[in-house]
Amino acid sequence: MIHLNETESRILDANARWRGLSSLQLMENAGRAVAVEVLSRFRPARVAVLCGPGNNGGDGFVASRHLVAAGCRVAVILLSSEAGIRTVEAHRNWECLKASGVSAIAVPDSSGFREPLLRKSLASADVVVDAMLGGGQVGVPREPFKTAVKAVNALAAKRVCVDVPTGEGSSCRVNPDLTVSFELAKTRGAVVVGIGIPPAWKCLCGPGHVQALQRPRPAGRKGENGVLLAVGGSEEYSGAPLHSLRAAAGFVDLCLYHSPFALNLEAAKGLRREADVVVVPKRGLLAAARKSDAILIGPGLGVGGAQKKLVNYLCRAFGGSNKIVLDAGALKLVDKRFLNANFLLTPHAGEFKLIFGVEASGEACRKAAARYGCTILLKDKAVSGFDWVSDGKRLLKNASGVPQMTRGGTGDVLAGVAAAFSCKNPLPLSACAAAWLNGYAGELLRREKGSCFTATDLSRKLPEAFKNAVEF
């Protein structure tokens, strides 16, 4: 069984909303599913539902309404003031609950647990539903949740937790007889119920991956949001690393660039008008690598002996301390013995076969990532219709993009975005977010320009695509 952490659960919910399932629909489906489990397993006459002010509490409000509709006597205990309900969806379901005439008690602090009415509601319940705190909890619950957990655990009633037990992972946790998780398990022993998300959506990249990325701190210092070193370029391909740098520059604090060919360094100086790019000569390369959070190696890089020596030196020297993204020429030169969990590889299908000796596919991607302990973003749309992302454990796929993205330079844009995200984020998340965002930017361009756009257009569309993803 696949277990999701809180970040992965939020990603799944966001991607479902993007594809047409509203938060209100998901909450309705979740609450109804909890009610069905309670009714089918325990057949209670009286139920007490303890609800927090967030969406977990919203699920509890919905469950309460369905339990009342099934003939149960339900008491709802809100561990907040009514004004403290935090989300639009939860507040709407609170209003529905009040309109249905359900008994509801607001307990904004722990003193409320001394009230006779509340104590009677808890003591008379056959089942107590814990919808207080969902995923993302850290440490011992604060009051009034701490007092509520102790009160619930002292009852003879059956205890049903919504998604995860309140206090999960701490010394003050609801001890459940049943935990109902949605779509995928969030805790061991949970019963998993569907809330209307199609199985195929669970392995798709989407804007939820972009939303999960670390955001810049408003008062942060320069460099805290990422320093990227790009190494690439050749006499034949001077533009490739520039596409990568242009794409990356909007997502990190600083881009450093080194090329073995002096003419490429001169060309990169022109980027200073639109991106914060610092050109690094040969004598400054090691210092730049030490300063960087991630190193992108390969866009436009030749495949001669000197380049092979450079690639493998950087992989050996910095693969244990830096994130390293290998693209294009570097994929053909790297010694696979250096690969580890700090590496992200971005091959297309032909490069994948050259590196690993097997035809490209999603399963081949997963097996190769598992064998070498790295993350792989396989660009396979021309064959399978998807990009594939795997760290050897999970396999995800990306469907965003348009046919025009086979044009030269669009892969360099993707490598730049993936490397930029990698500076401050896990590699699998970075790869998923980059693959989806790059494709979505292409979709926006096609609506605007039709089939006539370039890799430069694509990199310049990324900020709008990113804004849409995080704000929808």
Side-chain angles (χ1 to χ4, degrees), residues 22-23 26 50 115 127 135 161 192 204 210 219 221 236 252 279-280 291 318 351 360 420 432 436 461-462 465 472:
S22 71
S23 296
L26 292 171
L50 286 82
E115 295 294 327
V127 171
C161 296
V192 178
L204 279 176
V210 178
R221 298 188 303 274
E236 294 84 4
V252 294
V279 172
V280 178
K291 182 179 181 179
F318 297 99
E351 290 167 335
C432 288
W436 181 85
K461 202 66 176 176
L462 290 169
F472 90 91

Side-chain angles (χ1 to χ4, degrees), residues 228 230 232-233 236-251 255 257 264 267-268 271 274-275 277 296 299-300 327 407-420 438 453-462:
L228 173 66
E236 294 84 4
Y237 302 107
S238 61
L242 304 188
H243 288 309
S244 298
L245 289 163
R246 187 179 289 111
F251 301 108
C255 285
Y257 174 51
N264 289 335
L271 271 181
E274 57 180 301
V277 176
L296 169 61
D327 184 57
R407 289 176 180 156
T410 56
D412 302 310
V413 171
L414 173 57
V417 178
N438 195 57
F453 63 84
T454 66
T456 299
D457 295 327
L458 182 65
S459 62
R460 290 173 176 163
K461 202 66 176 176
L462 290 169

Side-chain angles (χ1 to χ4, degrees), residues 225-467:
N225 301 310
V227 176
L228 173 66
L229 169 64
V231 178
S234 63
E235 291 180 295
E236 294 84 4
Y237 302 107
S238 61
L242 304 188
H243 288 309
S244 298
L245 289 163
R246 187 179 289 111
F251 301 108
V252 294
D253 284 348
L254 182 62
C255 285
L256 309 173
Y257 174 51
H258 172 75
S259 177
F261 293 89
L263 288 177
N264 289 335
L265 297 181
E266 289 299 316
K269 291 179 181 178
L271 271 181
R272 291 177 179 174
R273 292 188 296 272
E274 57 180 301
D276 191 0
V277 176
V278 176
V279 172
V280 178
K282 183 177 181 180
R283 65 179 180 275
L285 178 58
L286 296 185
R290 295 187 190 101
K291 182 179 181 179
S292 67
D293 297 295
I295 307 173
L296 169 61
I297 311 174
L301 191 68
V303 291
Q307 291 91 336
K308 183 174 183 178
K309 184 177 179 180
L310 174 63
V311 168
N312 286 295
Y313 174 77
L314 291 172
C315 290
R316 183 176 66 251
F318 297 99
S321 57
N322 299 57
K323 310 276 185 64
I324 295 184
V325 179
L326 300 179
D327 184 57
L331 295 167
K332 303 170 185 175
L333 301 174
V334 67
D335 185 332
K336 293 192 290 295
R337 292 177 299 173
F338 296 139
L339 299 181
N340 59 45
N342 283 340
F343 282 77
L344 168 61
L345 281 61
T346 61
H348 57 60
E351 290 167 335
F352 184 91
K353 184 176 181 180
L354 181 67
I355 301 163
F356 300 111
V358 295
E359 294 291 339
S361 68
E363 183 59 17
C365 176
R366 187 196 64 77
K367 288 181 177 179
R371 178 177 178 182
Y372 292 100
C374 61
T375 298
I376 298 174
L377 194 176
L378 170 59
K379 297 172 286 190
D380 193 40
K381 281 204 177 73
V383 178
S384 67
F386 299 103
D387 302 315
W388 301 96
V389 177
S390 183
D391 60 355
K393 303 180 186 73
R394 295 191 66 192
L395 177 65
L396 289 93
K397 56 187 179 182
N398 175 57
S400 68
V402 294
Q404 291 79 10
M405 294 181 70
T406 57
R407 289 176 180 156
T410 56
D412 302 310
V413 171
L414 173 57
V417 178
F421 291 164
S422 296
C423 286
K424 295 296 180 180
N425 297 281
L427 290 176
L429 173 62
S430 300
C432 288
W436 181 85
L437 188 70
N438 195 57
Y440 174 55
E443 293 172 3
L444 292 178
L445 273 174
R446 185 171 64 176
R447 293 173 204 166
E448 180 183 315
K449 293 177 174 285
S451 61
C452 301
F453 63 84
T454 66
T456 299
D457 295 327
L458 182 65
S459 62
R460 290 173 176 163
K461 202 66 176 176
L462 290 169
E464 178 186 339
F466 186 87
K467 183 175 185 292

Side-chain angles (χ1 to χ4, degrees), residues 33-83:
V34 171
V36 167
E37 291 297 321
V38 169
L39 292 167
S40 64
R41 291 170 182 269
F42 304 115
R43 301 185 182 280
R46 294 175 177 266
V47 182
V49 185
L50 286 82
C51 299
N55 281 342
N56 196 252
D59 297 338
F61 300 152
V62 174
S64 300
R65 176 161 42 83
H66 283 280
L67 289 167
V68 168
C72 298
R73 297 188 65 178
V74 178
V76 177
I77 301 163
L78 171 62
L79 278 80
S80 167
S81 64
E82 184 174 337

